Amino acid sequence: MGLADVGVASARALGVWAYYRIGWVRAAWLGVQADWGARISPHAAVAGASSLGTAVVGRDVRLGRGTYIASGILYSGAIGDFCSIGPNVILGPSEHDPRGWTLSPVEAQSRGETAASTQLPTDPPRLGNGVWVGANVVVLRGVSIGDGAVIAAGAVVTRDVPDREIWGGVPARLIGSRPSSAVTSSSMSGPPEPPGLGD
């Protein structure tokens, strides 16, 4: 790697850092507590969120009021009010389309196609109000998690979870339920509309 390559790489890294710092400053201005290590897209809808810890928050994420996130990567999705998101959670990652001629975005681009052509066209996940997501959980795109649901640590959520149910495992499945009085949906608005669905 030559000196010119180092300069280009340094400039690119500085640009990425500045992009996420703008998002961080915007979130702080909106009253959101964010750890200095948080990386927040300036396009993410975070107004009203409580705390973002050291999370990476993508541009296609909307957070409800009072929601907090310990850490993890939120690629896409709509998260309702007063949700508790544990450490190392992955929400709404892109998924490769196994029906395509290639699974590699790099190979697709080398042949004149977009990187998106290798991904499944699936809607972002939706989390209702008062949802608790434990540590190291993965929530795939196209999934809806109902109000007051609990997702146990380490689960991989591949399908919809009804209100007030407790799910865990890989893939996640029903392991229990919560009392119906645990969530008063009438006092809360629904989760925000994910970007692109209502636009």
Side-chain angles (χ1 to χ4, degrees), residues 57-118:
V57 182
R59 68 181 298 130
D60 294 331
V61 173
R62 297 208 181 166
L63 303 176
R65 84 190 141 90
T67 289
Y68 75 85
I69 301 160
S71 65
I73 304 173
L74 284 63
Y75 292 98
S76 65
I79 301 173
D81 296 338
F82 303 106
C83 291
S84 303
I85 311 295
N88 304 318
V89 169
I90 297 176
L91 181 72
S94 61
E95 299 173 47
H96 294 282
D97 187 351
R99 300 166 298 184
W101 65 272
T102 182
L103 297 173
S104 169
V106 175
E107 185 177 18
Q109 288 176 319
S110 73
R111 298 208 183 163
E113 294 185 27
T114 66
S117 69
T118 63

Coordinates of all heavy atoms in Angstrom, one line a residue, residues 57-118:
V57 N -26.8 2.9 14.7 CA -28.1 3.1 14.3 C -28.2 3.5 12.8 O -27.7 4.6 12.5 CB -28.9 4.1 15.2 CG1 -30.3 4.3 14.8 CG2 -28.8 3.7 16.6
G58 N -28.7 2.7 11.9 CA -28.8 3.0 10.5 C -29.8 4.0 10.1 O -30.7 4.3 10.9
R59 N -29.8 4.4 8.9 CA -30.7 5.4 8.4 C -32.1 5.0 8.3 O -33.1 5.8 8.3 CB -30.2 6.0 7.0 CG -30.3 4.9 5.9 CD -29.8 5.5 4.6 NE -30.6 6.6 4.1 CZ -30.1 7.7 3.7 NH1 -28.8 7.9 3.6 NH2 -30.9 8.7 3.3
D60 N -32.4 3.7 8.2 CA -33.8 3.2 8.1 C -34.3 2.7 9.4 O -35.1 1.7 9.4 CB -33.8 2.0 7.0 CG -33.5 2.5 5.6 OD1 -33.8 3.7 5.3 OD2 -32.9 1.7 4.8
V61 N -34.0 3.4 10.5 CA -34.4 3.0 11.8 C -35.3 4.1 12.4 O -34.9 5.3 12.2 CB -33.2 2.7 12.7 CG1 -33.7 2.5 14.2 CG2 -32.4 1.5 12.2
R62 N -36.4 3.8 13.0 CA -37.2 4.7 13.7 C -37.4 4.2 15.2 O -37.8 3.0 15.3 CB -38.6 4.9 13.1 CG -38.4 5.4 11.7 CD -39.6 6.2 11.2 NE -39.3 6.7 9.9 CZ -40.2 7.2 9.1 NH1 -41.4 7.2 9.5 NH2 -39.8 7.6 7.9
L63 N -37.2 5.0 16.1 CA -37.3 4.6 17.5 C -38.4 5.4 18.2 O -38.5 6.6 18.0 CB -36.0 5.0 18.3 CG -34.7 4.3 17.7 CD1 -33.5 4.8 18.5 CD2 -34.8 2.8 17.7
G64 N -39.2 4.7 19.0 CA -40.3 5.3 19.8 C -39.8 6.0 21.0 O -38.6 5.8 21.4
R65 N -40.7 6.7 21.7 CA -40.2 7.5 22.8 C -40.0 6.5 24.0 O -40.6 5.5 24.2 CB -41.3 8.5 23.2 CG -42.5 8.1 24.0 CD -43.5 9.2 24.1 NE -44.8 8.5 24.0 CZ -45.5 8.1 25.0 NH1 -45.0 8.3 26.2 NH2 -46.6 7.4 24.9
G66 N -39.0 6.9 24.8 CA -38.6 6.2 26.0 C -37.9 4.9 25.7 O -37.5 4.1 26.6
T67 N -37.6 4.6 24.5 CA -36.9 3.3 24.1 C -35.4 3.5 24.4 O -34.8 4.6 24.2 CB -37.1 3.0 22.6 OG1 -38.4 2.6 22.5 CG2 -36.2 1.9 22.1
Y68 N -34.8 2.4 24.9 CA -33.3 2.5 25.1 C -32.7 1.3 24.5 O -33.3 0.2 24.4 CB -32.9 2.6 26.6 CG -33.0 1.4 27.4 CD1 -32.0 0.5 27.4 CD2 -34.2 1.2 28.2 CE1 -32.1 -0.7 28.2 CE2 -34.3 0.1 29.0 CZ -33.3 -0.9 29.0 OH -33.4 -2.0 29.7
I69 N -31.4 1.4 24.1 CA -30.6 0.4 23.4 C -29.3 0.3 24.1 O -28.6 1.4 24.2 CB -30.5 0.7 21.9 CG1 -31.9 0.8 21.3 CG2 -29.6 -0.4 21.2 CD1 -31.9 1.5 19.9
A70 N -28.9 -0.8 24.6 CA -27.6 -1.0 25.2 C -26.5 -0.9 24.2 O -25.6 -0.1 24.2 CB -27.5 -2.3 26.0
S71 N -26.5 -1.8 23.2 CA -25.5 -1.8 22.1 C -26.0 -2.7 21.0 O -27.0 -3.5 21.2 CB -24.2 -2.2 22.6 OG -24.2 -3.6 23.0
G72 N -25.4 -2.7 19.9 CA -25.7 -3.6 18.8 C -25.7 -2.8 17.5 O -25.3 -1.7 17.4
I73 N -26.3 -3.5 16.5 CA -26.4 -2.8 15.1 C -27.8 -2.9 14.7 O -28.4 -4.0 14.5 CB -25.5 -3.6 14.1 CG1 -24.0 -3.6 14.6 CG2 -25.6 -2.9 12.8 CD1 -23.1 -4.4 13.7
L74 N -28.4 -1.7 14.5 CA -29.8 -1.6 14.1 C -29.7 -1.1 12.6 O -29.6 0.0 12.3 CB -30.6 -0.6 14.9 CG -31.0 -1.1 16.3 CD1 -29.8 -1.5 17.2 CD2 -31.9 -0.1 17.0
Y75 N -29.9 -2.1 11.7 CA -29.8 -1.8 10.3 C -31.1 -1.1 9.8 O -31.0 -0.1 9.0 CB -29.6 -3.0 9.4 CG -28.2 -3.7 9.6 CD1 -28.0 -4.7 10.5 CD2 -27.1 -3.2 8.9 CE1 -26.8 -5.3 10.7 CE2 -25.9 -3.8 9.1 CZ -25.7 -4.9 10.0 OH -24.5 -5.4 10.1
S76 N -32.2 -1.7 10.2 CA -33.5 -1.1 9.7 C -34.6 -1.6 10.7 O -34.4 -2.5 11.4 CB -33.8 -1.7 8.3 OG -34.0 -3.1 8.4
G77 N -35.7 -0.9 10.7 CA -36.8 -1.3 11.5 C -37.5 -0.1 12.3 O -37.0 1.0 12.3
A78 N -38.7 -0.4 12.8 CA -39.5 0.5 13.5 C -39.6 -0.1 14.9 O -40.1 -1.2 15.1 CB -40.8 0.7 12.9
I79 N -39.2 0.6 15.9 CA -39.3 0.2 17.3 C -40.2 1.1 18.1 O -40.1 2.3 18.0 CB -37.9 0.2 18.0 CG1 -36.9 -0.7 17.2 CG2 -37.9 -0.2 19.4 CD1 -35.5 -0.6 17.6
G80 N -41.2 0.5 18.7 CA -42.3 1.2 19.4 C -41.8 1.9 20.7 O -40.6 2.0 21.0
D81 N -42.7 2.4 21.5 CA -42.4 3.2 22.7 C -42.0 2.3 23.8 O -42.5 1.1 24.0 CB -43.7 3.9 23.1 CG -44.1 5.0 22.1 OD1 -43.3 5.5 21.3 OD2 -45.3 5.4 22.2
F82 N -41.1 2.8 24.7 CA -40.7 2.1 25.9 C -40.2 0.7 25.7 O -40.4 -0.2 26.5 CB -41.8 2.2 26.9 CG -42.3 3.6 27.2 CD1 -43.5 4.1 26.7 CD2 -41.5 4.5 27.9 CE1 -43.9 5.4 26.9 CE2 -41.9 5.8 28.1 CZ -43.1 6.3 27.6
C83 N -39.4 0.5 24.7 CA -38.8 -0.8 24.5 C -37.4 -0.9 25.1 O -36.7 0.2 25.2 CB -38.6 -1.1 23.0 SG -40.2 -1.4 22.1
S84 N -37.0 -2.0 25.6 CA -35.7 -2.3 26.2 C -34.9 -3.2 25.3 O -35.3 -4.4 25.2 CB -35.9 -2.9 27.6 OG -36.7 -2.1 28.4
I85 N -33.9 -2.7 24.7 CA -33.1 -3.5 23.7 C -31.7 -3.7 24.4 O -31.0 -2.8 24.7 CB -32.9 -2.7 22.4 CG1 -34.2 -2.2 21.9 CG2 -32.1 -3.6 21.4 CD1 -35.2 -3.2 21.5
G86 N -31.4 -5.0 24.6 CA -30.2 -5.4 25.3 C -28.9 -5.3 24.5 O -29.0 -4.8 23.4
P87 N -27.8 -5.7 25.1 CA -26.5 -5.6 24.4 C -26.4 -6.5 23.2 O -26.9 -7.6 23.2 CB -25.5 -5.9 25.5 CG -26.2 -6.6 26.5 CD -27.7 -6.2 26.4
N88 N -25.7 -6.0 22.2 CA -25.3 -6.8 21.0 C -26.4 -7.3 20.2 O -26.4 -8.4 19.6 CB -24.4 -8.0 21.4 CG -23.1 -7.5 22.1 OD1 -22.5 -6.5 21.8 ND2 -22.8 -8.2 23.2
V89 N -27.5 -6.6 20.1 CA -28.7 -6.9 19.3 C -28.5 -6.5 17.9 O -27.9 -5.5 17.6 CB -30.0 -6.3 19.9 CG1 -31.1 -6.4 19.0 CG2 -30.3 -6.9 21.3
I90 N -28.9 -7.4 16.9 CA -28.8 -7.1 15.5 C -30.3 -7.1 15.0 O -31.0 -8.0 15.2 CB -28.0 -8.1 14.7 CG1 -26.6 -8.1 15.2 CG2 -28.1 -7.9 13.2 CD1 -25.7 -9.1 14.6
L91 N -30.7 -5.9 14.5 CA -32.1 -5.7 14.0 C -32.1 -5.4 12.5 O -31.5 -4.4 12.1 CB -32.7 -4.6 14.8 CG -34.2 -4.3 14.5 CD1 -35.1 -5.4 15.0 CD2 -34.6 -2.9 15.1
G92 N -32.8 -6.2 11.8 CA -33.1 -5.9 10.4 C -31.9 -5.9 9.4 O -31.8 -5.1 8.5
P93 N -31.0 -6.9 9.6 CA -29.9 -6.9 8.6 C -30.4 -7.3 7.2 O -31.4 -8.0 7.1 CB -28.9 -8.0 9.1 CG -29.9 -9.0 9.9 CD -30.9 -8.1 10.4
S94 N -29.6 -6.9 6.2 CA -30.0 -7.4 4.8 C -29.7 -8.9 4.7 O -28.9 -9.4 5.5 CB -29.2 -6.6 3.8 OG -27.8 -6.9 3.9
E95 N -30.5 -9.5 3.9 CA -30.3 -11.0 3.7 C -30.1 -11.3 2.3 O -30.7 -10.8 1.4 CB -31.6 -11.7 4.2 CG -31.9 -11.4 5.7 CD -33.2 -12.0 6.1 OE1 -33.5 -13.1 5.8 OE2 -34.0 -11.2 6.7
H96 N -29.1 -12.2 2.0 CA -28.8 -12.6 0.7 C -29.9 -13.4 0.0 O -30.6 -14.2 0.7 CB -27.5 -13.4 0.6 CG -26.3 -12.7 1.0 ND1 -25.6 -11.8 0.2 CD2 -25.6 -12.6 2.2 CE1 -24.6 -11.3 0.8 NE2 -24.6 -11.7 2.1
D97 N -30.1 -13.2 -1.2 CA -31.2 -13.9 -2.0 C -30.6 -15.2 -2.6 O -29.8 -15.1 -3.5 CB -31.8 -13.0 -3.1 CG -33.0 -13.7 -3.8 OD1 -33.2 -14.9 -3.5 OD2 -33.6 -13.0 -4.5
P98 N -30.9 -16.4 -2.0 CA -30.2 -17.6 -2.5 C -30.7 -18.0 -3.9 O -30.1 -18.9 -4.5 CB -30.6 -18.7 -1.5 CG -31.9 -18.1 -0.9 CD -31.8 -16.6 -0.9
R99 N -31.8 -17.3 -4.4 CA -32.3 -17.6 -5.8 C -31.5 -16.9 -6.9 O -31.7 -17.2 -8.0 CB -33.7 -17.3 -5.9 CG -34.6 -18.0 -4.9 CD -36.0 -17.4 -4.8 NE -35.8 -16.0 -4.3 CZ -36.8 -15.2 -4.0 NH1 -38.0 -15.6 -4.2 NH2 -36.5 -14.0 -3.6
G100 N -30.7 -16.0 -6.5 CA -29.9 -15.2 -7.5 C -28.7 -16.0 -8.1 O -28.4 -17.0 -7.5
W101 N -28.2 -15.4 -9.1 CA -27.0 -16.1 -9.7 C -25.8 -16.0 -8.9 O -24.8 -16.8 -9.0 CB -26.8 -15.6 -11.2 CG -26.4 -14.1 -11.2 CD1 -27.2 -13.0 -11.3 CD2 -25.1 -13.6 -11.2 NE1 -26.5 -11.9 -11.3 CE2 -25.1 -12.2 -11.3 CE3 -23.8 -14.2 -11.2 CZ2 -24.0 -11.4 -11.2 CZ3 -22.7 -13.4 -11.2 CH2 -22.8 -12.0 -11.2
T102 N -25.7 -15.0 -8.0 CA -24.6 -14.8 -7.1 C -25.1 -14.3 -5.7 O -26.1 -13.7 -5.7 CB -23.5 -13.8 -7.6 OG1 -22.4 -13.8 -6.7 CG2 -24.1 -12.4 -7.8
L103 N -24.4 -14.7 -4.7 CA -24.7 -14.2 -3.4 C -23.8 -13.0 -3.0 O -24.0 -12.4 -1.9 CB -24.5 -15.3 -2.3 CG -25.5 -16.5 -2.5 CD1 -25.1 -17.6 -1.5 CD2 -26.9 -16.0 -2.3
S104 N -22.8 -12.7 -3.8 CA -21.8 -11.7 -3.5 C -22.2 -10.3 -4.1 O -22.3 -10.2 -5.4 CB -20.5 -12.1 -4.1 OG -19.5 -11.0 -4.0
P105 N -22.4 -9.3 -3.3 CA -22.6 -8.0 -3.8 C -21.5 -7.5 -4.7 O -21.6 -6.7 -5.7 CB -22.9 -7.1 -2.6 CG -22.9 -8.0 -1.4 CD -22.4 -9.3 -1.8
V106 N -20.2 -7.8 -4.3 CA -19.1 -7.4 -5.0 C -19.1 -8.0 -6.4 O -18.8 -7.3 -7.4 CB -17.8 -7.8 -4.3 CG1 -16.5 -7.5 -5.1 CG2 -17.7 -7.1 -2.9
E107 N -19.4 -9.3 -6.5 CA -19.4 -9.9 -7.9 C -20.5 -9.3 -8.7 O -20.4 -9.1 -9.9 CB -19.7 -11.4 -7.7 CG -19.6 -12.1 -9.1 CD -19.7 -13.6 -9.0 OE1 -20.2 -14.1 -7.9 OE2 -19.4 -14.3 -9.9
A108 N -21.7 -9.0 -8.1 CA -22.8 -8.4 -8.9 C -22.4 -7.1 -9.4 O -22.6 -6.7 -10.6 CB -24.0 -8.3 -8.0
Q109 N -21.7 -6.3 -8.6 CA -21.2 -4.9 -9.0 C -20.2 -5.1 -10.1 O -20.1 -4.2 -11.0 CB -20.7 -4.2 -7.8 CG -21.8 -3.7 -6.9 CD -21.2 -3.0 -5.7 OE1 -20.2 -3.4 -5.1 NE2 -21.9 -1.9 -5.3
S110 N -19.3 -6.1 -10.0 CA -18.3 -6.2 -11.1 C -18.9 -6.6 -12.4 O -18.3 -6.4 -13.4 CB -17.3 -7.3 -10.7 OG -17.9 -8.6 -10.8
R111 N -20.2 -7.0 -12.4 CA -20.9 -7.3 -13.7 C -21.9 -6.3 -14.0 O -22.9 -6.6 -14.8 CB -21.4 -8.7 -13.6 CG -20.4 -9.7 -13.4 CD -20.7 -11.0 -14.0 NE -19.7 -12.0 -13.7 CZ -19.9 -13.3 -13.8 NH1 -21.1 -13.8 -14.2 NH2 -18.9 -14.2 -13.6
G112 N -21.9 -5.1 -13.4 CA -22.7 -4.0 -13.7 C -24.1 -4.0 -13.0 O -25.0 -3.2 -13.3
E113 N -24.3 -4.9 -12.0 CA -25.5 -4.9 -11.3 C -25.3 -4.1 -9.9 O -24.2 -3.9 -9.5 CB -26.0 -6.3 -11.0 CG -26.4 -7.1 -12.2 CD -26.9 -8.5 -11.9 OE1 -27.5 -8.7 -10.8 OE2 -26.8 -9.3 -12.8
T114 N -26.4 -3.8 -9.3 CA -26.3 -3.2 -8.0 C -26.1 -4.2 -6.9 O -26.4 -5.4 -7.0 CB -27.6 -2.4 -7.6 OG1 -28.7 -3.3 -7.5 CG2 -27.9 -1.4 -8.7
A115 N -25.5 -3.8 -5.8 CA -25.3 -4.7 -4.6 C -26.6 -5.1 -4.1 O -26.8 -6.3 -3.6 CB -24.5 -4.0 -3.5
A116 N -27.7 -4.3 -4.2 CA -29.0 -4.6 -3.7 C -29.6 -5.8 -4.5 O -30.5 -6.5 -4.0 CB -29.9 -3.4 -3.8
S117 N -29.1 -6.1 -5.7 CA -29.7 -7.2 -6.5 C -29.4 -8.5 -5.8 O -30.0 -9.5 -6.2 CB -29.2 -7.2 -7.9 OG -27.8 -7.5 -7.9
T118 N -28.5 -8.6 -4.9 CA -28.2 -9.9 -4.2 C -29.0 -10.1 -2.9 O -28.8 -11.0 -2.2 CB -26.7 -10.0 -3.9 OG1 -26.3 -8.9 -3.0 CG2 -25.9 -9.9 -5.2

